[in-house]
């Protein structure tokens, strides 16, 4: 079956809607005298609940694409819509609410706060969203349980292994129940065995909770765990494979 037929079928069967729409997006960076074109007219539609991987050589634009979708950076040209709403027409306030409530981020170096323990790291987004203490405690317990870290809740990041730190980060990314999870090389700092377990956990939790997940990886085997694989080259999506 061709990708478009498969896509049509999938769309029909799940009545899935596009949650992310990227239309002819370009982005370049100025490096001294030189202009580097990081993305070159990229278009992409991601359906609600889809699990998507992105692979491609270093410098092919994967992080740039993820950062633009995640409203962490601005496009030069083209349009990005989340749930039908253009990022470019959102106010700063709307964008920060989007980053807080609609999108969960998982990074390669975990980005945990070093001074506070696992439990507090997971609680932080809930505090920022003004959730009451009782509800926070319940949610944090549930999240730590879902990543099997209840008994390590009092440990600070430097007392946890890389895999455990990433599990904390995954729990944190899910705290405000975002619709979308963006994970940029979440296994990049882990050994391959741990990396595979962590990615499977991320995929399972995304499916269970009906999240849309986009993850970047260097590992073709890990990429194939996704329903849909994008391959990037030179700032473009060169292949879009639906399995
Ligand atoms: P990938 O994540 O696939 O490795 P990136 O999106 O990070 O690729 O980078 C795409 C291109 O843009 C690369 O050539 C990179 O050097 C360049 N680039 C990315 N971010 C910046 C930046 N902040 N300043 C200058 N150039 C950048
Ligand atoms: Mg990158």
């Amino acid at each position: 079956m061709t990708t478009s037929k498969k896509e049509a079928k999938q769309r029909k069967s799940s009545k899935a809607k596009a949650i992310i729409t990227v239309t002819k997006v370009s982005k370049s960076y100025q490096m001294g005298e030189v202009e580097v074109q990081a993305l070159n007219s990229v278009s992409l539609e991601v359906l609600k609940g889809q699990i998507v991987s992105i692979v491609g050589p270093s410098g092919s634009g994967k992080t740039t694409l993820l950062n633009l979708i995640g409203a962490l950076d601005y496009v030069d040209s083209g349009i990005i819509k989340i749930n039908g709403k253009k990022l470019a027409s959102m106010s700063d306030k709307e964008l920060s609410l989007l980053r807080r409530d609609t999108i969960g981020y998982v990074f390669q170096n975990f980005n945990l706060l070093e001074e506070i323990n696992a439990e507090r790291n997971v609680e932080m987004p809930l505090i920022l969203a003004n959730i009451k203490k009782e509800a926070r405690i319940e949610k944090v317990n549930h999240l730590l349980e879902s990543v099997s870290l209840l008994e390590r809740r009092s440990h600070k990041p430097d007392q946890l292994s890389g895999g455990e730190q990433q599990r904390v980060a995954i729990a944190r990314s899910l705290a405000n129940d975002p619709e979308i999870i963006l994970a940029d090389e979440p296994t990049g700092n882990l050994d391959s065995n741990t990396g595979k377990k962590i990615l499977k956990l991320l995929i399972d939790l995304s499916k269970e909770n009906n999240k849309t997940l986009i993850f970047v990886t260097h590992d073709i085997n890990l990429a194939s765990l996704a329903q849909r694989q994008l391959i990037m080259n030179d700032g473009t999506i060169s292949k879009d494979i639906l399995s």
Side-chain angles (χ1 to χ4, degrees), residues 62-64 184-185 216:
K62 306 180 297 293
T63 294
T64 303
D184 195 355
E185 305 208 33
V216 172

Side-chain angles (χ1 to χ4, degrees), residues 95-187:
L95 286 171
S96 55
L97 287 177
L98 179 91
R99 293 183 203 106
R100 192 190 74 184
D101 299 334
T102 307
I103 302 176
Y105 306 87
V106 179
F107 299 96
Q108 180 170 352
N109 2 322
F110 325 130
N111 284 13
L112 298 175
L113 295 171
E114 294 294 327
E115 302 304 316
I116 55 176
N117 66 26
E119 190 173 30
R120 295 279 161 265
N121 265 284
V122 177
E123 189 183 14
M124 194 54 75
L126 297 165
I127 293 174
L128 296 174
N130 303 315
I131 306 298
K132 292 220 172 79
K133 179 132 194 191
E134 215 166 86
R136 289 206 306 264
I137 292 170
E138 196 183 319
K139 185 88 202 203
V140 168
N141 280 337
H142 173 74
L143 287 163
L144 286 172
E145 190 180 9
S146 69
V147 297
S148 312
L149 275 181
L150 268 181
E151 75 284 11
R152 306 222 146 214
R153 60 195 309 149
S154 304
H155 294 237
K156 288 186 180 172
D158 68 357
Q159 299 167 320
L160 296 168
S161 70
E164 287 168 342
Q165 289 183 61
Q166 197 58 305
R167 272 147 61 197
V168 175
I170 289 170
R172 180 184 59 181
S173 78
L174 291 164
N176 284 328
D177 207 15
E179 290 177 83
I180 299 167
I181 310 273
L182 301 176
D184 195 355
E185 305 208 33
T187 67

Side-chain angles (χ1 to χ4, degrees), residues 29-31 36-38 56-65 184-185:
Y29 297 101
Q30 199 67 37
M31 287 277 282
V36 182
Q37 177 116 37
S58 181
S60 57
K62 306 180 297 293
T63 294
T64 303
L65 179 59
D184 195 355
E185 305 208 33

